[in-house]
Amino acid sequence: MNEVGAGVAAVRVQGLWKRFGEQIAVAGIDLELPAGRFIGLVGPNGAGKTTTLSMVTGLLRPDQGTVEVAGHDVWRDPVAVKARIGVLPEGLRLFERLSGRELLAYTGRLRGLPGDEVDKRATQLLDVLGLAGAQHKLVVDYSTGMRKKIGLAAALLHNPEVLFLDEPFEGVDPVSAQTIRGVLERYTASGATVVFSSHVMELVESLCDWVAVMAAGRIRAHGPLAEVRGDAPSLQQAFLELVGAHGHDAGADLDWLGGVR
Amino acid sequence: MNGVTGVVVRLKLSLLRNGLRQSAGRRAAYITSVVFTLLYAALQLLGLILLRGSAHAATIAVLSTAVLALGWAVMPLFFPSGDETLDPTRLVMLPLRPQPLVRALLTASLVGIGPLFTLCLLTGAVVSTAHGAAGYGTAVVAVVLALLVCVALARAITAANIRLLTSRKGRDLAVLSGLVIAIGAQVVNFGAQQLGSGGLSQLDPAGDVLRWVPPASAIGAVDSMSNGSYGVGAAQLLLSAVALAGLLTLWSRSLTKLMTAPDASTLQAAEPGARKRTSAVPFRLLPAGRTGTVMERSLRYVWRDPKTKTAWVTSLAIGMIVPVFNALQGHGSVYFACFAAGMLGIQMYNQFGQDTSAFWMVATTISSPRDAYAELRGRALALLVITLPYAALVSVVTTAIIGSWEKLPEALGLTFALLGAMLATGTWTSARFPYSIPQEGYKNVAPGQTGIAWISIFGGLVAAALLSAPVIAATIWLNATAGGSEWTWLLLPAGTVYGALILLLSLRLTAPRAAQRLPEILAAVSKG
C-alpha cells in the first residue's frame, strides 16, 4: 500500500512562490523529493520551511507554482492527494477538548475509515507512543511532547504514503523524541516517505538520508546527505557555509563574561 | 517603608502605569471604571450617612460589609490575572523571607480602586452607626481592621488556590464567570424587589448573625460600643483581629509552600486510574460515518469548551427568558417564542471560527464538495438536536402562559421556519465570512476582524428574517382574512418543511464553496 511507482517522485514542486504583503516567504522553489526516503528540510528560523510545507500539504494556497504528491496535483486533485498524505503542522491547534483517544477516533472516522479499524489502530498507536496511560485525558492538559505524539498518531492513522512533519521534535523531551524516532524509522523502512523540517542539524544528520537546505525562501542545496555535507566535517558546518552565517565572533564584545568577579 | 515593601508597592504602580500606557482604549476603560467606581462609592457613602439614626442602620452597615467581604473573597477567583503582584509564583526566584513578603504584598494590595471603594463604604458604614466617644474611637479601629481583613482574605484565598487559578481549569472557570455575575445580578434584582414589598426588617435576623462574623463583626462592634455594650463590642472587635491574624498566618504558610514546593503540574502524570471517557449511550445513537462523527464532536464541545458552553448557556437562557417573562408580565405574544429560534440559530454562525486553528484537521479531510456537505450537515444536525426540542418547548411554555392554545401550531411553524433560516444563513456565512475567536479572555472576535463578524451576524440576521418572510406573510394573511384562522394549523407543517428546505438548499450551495476556500478559511480562523 505504501509502494510508490518506480520513477515517480514522492513530491514534485515547481516554481513555488508565496508573498505575505511586502515579505516574500517562499521565492521560487523547484524540488523533487525521492520516494521511500527519510527527508530533512533544514534552515534557520524564518527560512520559509513552514510556509513551504503548508503549501505542499494544501493548507496554504501558493501565489504561483505547482505541487504534485505521488504524481497527483495537490490543488487540482485533492481527493487523490489528501488520502495519501499525513500532516503534523506546527503552530496550529488540535481539537484540544477531546481526549487523546477521542481525537484519534474523530480523525480516523473523518478520514472515512471503518470505526472498528480506527479503534484498533488507535489502541496500537497509543501503546507504541506511550500514551496509553493518558488516553482519556483531554489533549488541552497534554505536555508539548504528548501533543506532538498524539498529532503524529493522528497523521499516521490512515497509513499515508507521504508524511509531512513540521518541527516534530521542537520542545520534545529526549524520551518522547526517541519514541517518535523509532516509529518514523519503522515507517520509512516499509517504503513510505517522511518529510520533516527542523533547525537542529545533529538531529537531521542522524535521522535523514536525504536533505534540502532552505534559507531566505530559496533552496540552497539538496540531495543525499553525504553529497550536501561534502567535505565539511559535519552538516552543521556545511549548513553554516551554505547560508553564509559564519565568521562572526560573538565572544569579542563580552570580555567581562567569566572574568574576575 | 522598608526595602521590600517599597519595591513591591513601586512594582504595583509600574505595572498599573505600563498597563495603561499600552493603549488608549485601555486607558479610557480604566478611567471610566475609576470614575464610575468612585461615583458609586460616593453614592453608597451618601446613602449610608443618610441612614444614620434609622432603626435598620446597623443591620444595613453590617450586611454591606459582609457582602463586600464576599466580593473580596470571590473576585480573585474570577480575575486571577487582573493583578500580577497577586501571583506570588512570579517572585519565587527572589531571595525573600515570608514575613517581609507578606507585609510588602499586603501594603501593595491596599493600592488600587478596590481598596479605595472599600474604604468609602466602610467609612459610610461606621458613620451611619457610631455615636459617642467610644463609638467613634472604635470606628477608626474598625475601618482599618475590616479593610485589612478584606484584603488579607483575598490574598489568602488566592495564594491557597493559585495553582488551580493559573491552571487550565481555573482559566475555564474565569470564562464562565460572566455568567455567574449575570445570574447573580438577577438574584440581587429579585431580592431588591422582595425588599421593596416587604420592608427592611426582613434583614434583621441575617444582620444578627453576621455581626459576629469578621470583618462585619468590626462594624458590629461600633454599634455595640455606641449602645454602651462595651463587653460585646470588645469581643466583636477581637474576633475580627483574630480573623486577621489567622488569615495572615494562613497566607504566609501558603506562600512558603508555594515558594518551596515543586509545581505539581509539571510532575509526570502517571494516572493509570484516570477516568475513562466512555462513549455515552446517546452518542451511540448517532448515525455512522462523517455525519455522526461531526455531530459527536460538536456536541462534546458544547459541554467541554468554555467559550462554546458560555455562548450556549447565554442563548438558551435569554431565548427562554425574553418570551416567557414578557408573557408573565402580561404583554407577551405567542409569536415572541420565535425569539428562542433566533437566539439559538446564532450558534450556527462562524462554525469554523469555533474550531480555531484546529480547523486544519477538518481541512485535511475535506477533498470534495461531498465531504464539505457532510461536514456542514453534521454540524447543523448537532445544533438541531438541542435547538429543535428547546425552541418547541419555549413555544409551548409561552403559549401555556398566555393561554391561547389555538395559536400554538402557527407559533411552532414560525419558530421552525426561522430556525431553518438561521441555520441556512449561518451555514453560508460560516464559509463566506469566517473569523477567529480568541481562546483567552472575553473577546469573541480577533483584532481586525470585527467588521467581518458584524457583516456575518447582522447581515445573516437580516437575511434570515427575509428568508422567513413567506411564512410570516402567510401567517398575517391567514389571520387577517375572514375564516382564514381555521387554516392556521397548516402553518405548522408548511413552516417546518420550508425551514428544512432552505437549510438543505443552503448546505448544497455552501458545500462547494467551503471545499474550494479551505486555505482561506483556515487563514481567517487562525488569528486568535
Side-chain angles (χ1 to χ4, degrees):
Chain A
M1 197 164 168
N2 285 326
E3 293 299 314
V4 176
V8 178
V11 180
R12 182 179 287 128
V13 179
Q14 280 174 331
L16 201 64
W17 279 83
K18 185 70 194 180
R19 188 192 295 265
F20 295 110
E22 291 290 284
Q23 183 162 1
I24 299 173
V26 172
I29 288 185
D30 296 294
L31 197 58
E32 229 171 81
L33 305 178
R37 301 289 192 100
F38 209 129
I39 298 165
L41 181 61
V42 301
N45 291 327
K49 303 188 296 291
T50 295
T51 310
T52 306
L53 283 180
S54 298
M55 289 193 285
V56 170
T57 52
L59 292 176
L60 180 70
R61 200 183 297 281
D63 293 338
Q64 256 179 60
T66 56
V67 181
E68 279 174 22
V69 174
H72 303 277
D73 190 295
V74 170
W75 296 96
R76 264 182 246 133
D77 190 4
V79 179
V81 173
K82 286 190 175 177
R84 285 184 166 84
I85 62 172
V87 189
L88 176 60
E90 158 78 3
L92 296 180
R93 289 169 196 267
L94 300 164
F95 280 106
E96 291 166 359
R97 302 281 165 167
L98 298 181
S99 70
R101 176 169 277 280
E102 284 166 3
L103 187 74
L104 295 186
Y106 170 73
T107 316
R109 285 173 174 84
L110 277 197
R111 293 243 176 226
L113 300 173
D116 299 346
E117 183 64 24
V118 173
D119 294 339
K120 201 183 87 193
R121 290 184 187 185
T123 307
Q124 290 171 349
L125 279 166
L126 288 166
D127 269 343
V128 171
L129 289 166
L131 289 172
Q135 59 177 320
H136 299 304
K137 236 168 98 168
L138 296 190
V139 176
V140 69
D141 295 328
Y142 276 18
S143 66
T144 312
M146 289 160 84
R147 275 166 201 251
K148 293 277 186 196
K149 287 193 285 186
I150 198 74
L152 178 65
L156 285 171
L157 205 54
H158 58 295
N159 190 21
E161 284 173 28
V162 189
L163 188 62
F164 296 95
L165 311 168
D166 197 358
E167 301 282 0
F169 297 99
E170 186 84 341
V172 175
D173 66 280
V175 180
S176 298
Q178 191 53 42
T179 312
I180 295 178
R181 236 178 125 140
V183 171
L184 292 181
E185 276 166 352
R186 188 193 306 181
Y187 174 69
T188 42
S190 72
T193 313
V194 172
V195 182
F196 83 99
S197 74
S198 178
H199 50 76
V200 184
M201 296 306 144
E202 292 81 0
L203 193 77
V204 174
E205 196 163 13
S206 70
L207 266 177
C208 301
D209 41 23
W210 207 98
V211 289
V213 180
M214 243 190 125
R218 288 169 200 278
I219 298 290
R220 292 296 164 91
H222 61 90
L225 180 67
E227 220 171 85
V228 171
R229 186 166 48 200
D231 300 333
S234 68
L235 185 63
Q236 169 90 359
Q237 284 299 323
F239 173 77
L240 290 179
E241 273 168 38
L242 278 166
V243 301
H246 49 88
H248 180 67
D249 184 4
D253 300 331
L254 299 175
D255 52 353
W256 53 269
L257 194 60
V260 182
R261 285 180 179 93
Chain B
M1 272 196 261
N2 74 26
V4 183
T5 309
V7 170
V8 175
V9 172
R10 276 199 298 279
L11 169 69
K12 172 131 185 186
L13 290 172
S14 312
L15 284 172
L16 193 64
R17 205 168 41 237
N18 293 341
L20 294 183
R21 215 180 270 163
Q22 269 177 0
S23 81
R26 206 160 154 175
R27 218 158 27 238
Y30 185 77
I31 292 170
T32 318
S33 71
V34 169
V35 169
F36 272 97
T37 311
L38 290 182
L39 266 180
Y40 187 65
L43 283 176
Q44 288 267 10
L45 182 61
L46 196 69
L48 283 165
I49 292 173
L50 288 177
L51 262 181
R52 193 180 158 84
S54 148
H56 302 294
T59 304
I60 298 282
V62 165
L63 275 178
S64 312
T65 311
V67 170
L68 196 67
L70 186 69
W72 274 95
V74 173
M75 282 311 244
L77 299 180
F78 289 153
F79 306 104
S81 57
D83 183 353
E84 283 172 274
T85 55
L86 266 177
D87 184 357
T89 50
R90 301 206 176 206
L91 308 171
V92 79
M93 292 305 288
L94 303 175
L96 296 170
R97 303 221 150 264
Q99 288 315 322
L101 185 61
V102 165
R103 237 186 345 262
L105 288 176
L106 189 65
T107 315
S109 308
L110 292 172
V111 179
I113 326 176
L116 186 61
F117 176 80
T118 310
L119 188 64
C120 285
L121 208 143
L122 289 173
T123 310
V126 296
V127 168
S128 72
T129 49
H131 301 281
Y136 286 115
T138 316
V140 176
V141 183
V143 168
V144 175
L145 204 52
L147 180 63
L148 287 178
V149 170
C150 283
V151 173
L153 181 66
R155 291 256 148 169
I157 289 181
T158 315
N161 297 298
I162 194 82
R163 290 275 151 77
L164 168 72
L165 294 179
T166 50
S167 75
R168 195 260 304 167
K169 289 208 170 93
R171 278 178 275 123
D172 287 1
L173 194 73
V175 175
L176 286 171
S177 63
L179 275 179
V180 175
I181 291 170
I183 294 167
Q186 288 302 316
V187 172
V188 168
N189 191 15
F190 183 74
Q193 280 178 3
Q194 290 292 103
L195 278 183
S197 56
L200 289 174
S201 52
Q202 290 177 68
L203 293 175
D204 286 342
D208 290 341
V209 175
L210 287 173
R211 71 180 64 230
W212 286 101
V213 178
S217 72
I219 308 300
V222 178
D223 185 47
S224 305
M225 291 286 198
S226 302
N227 295 332
S229 329
Y230 301 117
V232 175
Q236 285 170 317
L237 214 51
L238 188 67
L239 210 55
S240 279
V242 169
L244 178 61
L247 284 171
L248 289 178
T249 315
L250 190 74
W251 179 20
S252 168
R253 281 214 190 124
S254 324
L255 271 180
T256 313
K257 209 174 122 197
L258 267 179
M259 300 289 204
T260 50
D263 184 349
S265 67
T266 59
L267 294 180
Q268 187 64 251
E271 322 156 47
R275 198 160 48 90
K276 185 176 191 286
R277 292 168 198 273
T278 44
S279 180
V281 177
F283 287 133
R284 289 196 205 123
L285 300 174
L286 295 176
R290 186 169 197 128
T291 309
T293 309
V294 171
M295 285 177 77
E296 185 174 332
R297 207 228 8 111
S298 294
L299 291 172
R300 278 193 205 283
Y301 260 55
V302 172
W303 182 247
R304 289 202 199 145
D305 183 52
K307 282 249 159 165
T308 316
K309 197 197 240 177
T310 310
W312 270 98
V313 172
T314 313
S315 282
L316 290 172
I318 297 180
M320 179 67 98
I321 286 173
V322 168
V324 169
F325 276 35
N326 270 308
L328 280 174
Q329 286 165 352
H331 42 76
S333 147
V334 285
Y335 303 119
F336 268 18
C338 294
F339 190 81
M343 283 308 295
L344 293 167
I346 287 183
Q347 302 308 325
M348 189 68 203
Y349 284 66
N350 200 26
Q351 273 296 320
F352 303 132
Q354 294 179 30
D355 293 358
T356 69
S357 55
F359 176 71
W360 74 268
M361 301 195 82
V362 176
T364 48
T365 59
I366 293 180
S367 37
S368 65
R370 211 184 143 80
D371 293 336
Y373 179 76
E375 176 74 30
L376 287 164
R377 190 184 54 187
R379 288 171 189 246
L381 284 175
L383 254 88
L384 281 172
V385 166
I386 304 175
T387 56
L388 204 61
Y390 193 79
L393 177 73
V394 172
S395 297
V396 170
V397 170
T398 312
T399 315
I401 294 169
I402 292 175
S404 47
W405 286 104
E406 74 285 356
K407 285 199 182 296
L408 181 60
E410 57 190 286
L412 281 174
L414 269 177
T415 295
F416 294 156
L418 183 62
L419 191 59
M422 286 296 292
L423 261 54
T425 50
T427 304
W428 194 78
T429 50
S430 288
R432 186 63 192 82
F433 299 111
Y435 58 90
S436 303
I437 303 177
Q439 288 305 287
E440 305 293 327
Y442 294 89
K443 281 196 182 151
N444 281 321
V445 185
Q449 292 187 313
T450 322
I452 302 176
W454 278 83
I455 292 177
S456 158
I457 294 178
F458 284 88
L461 282 174
V462 172
L466 288 177
L467 279 176
S468 20
V471 183
I472 299 174
T475 312
I476 296 173
W477 182 69
L478 280 177
N479 276 300
T481 328
S485 50
E486 284 180 21
W487 298 97
T488 49
W489 61 270
L490 268 178
L491 288 166
L492 174 54
T496 312
V497 169
Y498 181 77
L501 279 180
I502 46 177
L503 174 56
L504 280 175
L505 185 70
S506 170
L507 289 172
R508 284 258 171 248
L509 290 176
T510 309
R513 212 184 163 88
Q516 226 171 44
R517 281 173 47 86
L518 292 171
E520 284 72 24
I521 296 174
L522 178 62
V525 301
S526 304
K527 295 188 200 300

